[in-house]
Amino acid sequence: MTKTSGTTRISRASRPSRVSRVSRRPPPYDPLGADAPPAPAPVHAAFVLWLVAVAAGAFETVVAVVDRATGADGSLGSLGSLAGGVALRMAVFSAAVLLAVQLRRGRNWARCALTVGLGVFGALSLVIGPVQWLADGHGVGDAVTDLSVADVLFGASRVLHLAAVLTAVVLMFRPAANAYFKRATTGRRPGSLTAPPPAR
């Protein structure tokens, strides 16, 4: 402090600088950062179920390929026709895993993509075959006639696959999940009523 003409004046050096005031401001809240709360139980369960659905789909693909390879039509041409389908399935499974990871991190766009891509179109692709088979005039009793081991394994996996998809979709829109995705989208701290002001 310096005195001039009987008055007290605060020197420029002793005044708090704008830089120091800014440095004391807490960093902006990152809803997906290290200080973010863990995903709620419905979101975590949906994440696990999506992985179960992917595993079931991969198992069905293996069963179908092995059954075709060991069947009466196990020619190279027949197996070659499966290559495109297998490649497409692997691409879909990889995308599903990546989306499930983003879902657990609170990405709402991943929730929408999983709902539309796998929850709607994926579920339809799982049931369209049996529905068409029944529409051709076959009965439910015909489905259990002369079942092979591959048919039983494939059918059991398909039921698990469909159940996992439908349950995961429901869990992603539970109230706790909706609050989690909303908080991640708006950037609000847990328990706060308003979003934090942006850093200047």
Side-chain angles (χ1 to χ4, degrees), residues 50 99 102-103 106-121 169 172-173 181 185:
W50 283 121
L99 288 173
Q102 296 301 320
L103 170 82
R107 307 289 189 180
N108 190 53
W109 58 264
R111 178 171 68 159
C112 296
L114 286 169
T115 301
V116 176
L118 299 181
V120 177
F121 294 105
V169 171
M172 290 192 303
F173 291 91
F181 288 107
T185 302

Side-chain angles (χ1 to χ4, degrees), residues 36-122:
V43 175
H44 182 74
F47 167 75
V48 174
L49 286 173
W50 283 121
L51 296 186
V52 170
V54 169
F59 179 76
E60 293 162 21
T61 302
V62 172
V63 170
V65 171
V66 172
D67 185 59
R68 181 69 65 87
T70 57
D73 192 22
S75 62
L76 291 178
S78 176
L79 294 178
S81 64
L82 291 175
V86 170
L88 178 60
R89 282 176 173 264
M90 292 301 104
V92 172
F93 297 156
S94 299
V97 171
L98 294 177
L99 288 173
V101 172
Q102 296 301 320
L103 170 82
R104 188 175 59 173
R105 296 188 60 198
R107 307 289 189 180
N108 190 53
W109 58 264
R111 178 171 68 159
C112 296
L114 286 169
T115 301
V116 176
L118 299 181
V120 177
F121 294 105

Side-chain angles (χ1 to χ4, degrees), residues 156-179:
S157 179
R158 179 57 57 89
V159 171
L160 175 64
H161 190 168
L162 183 60
V165 169
L166 297 180
T167 307
V169 171
V170 173
L171 289 174
M172 290 192 303
F173 291 91
R174 295 287 297 168
N178 291 334

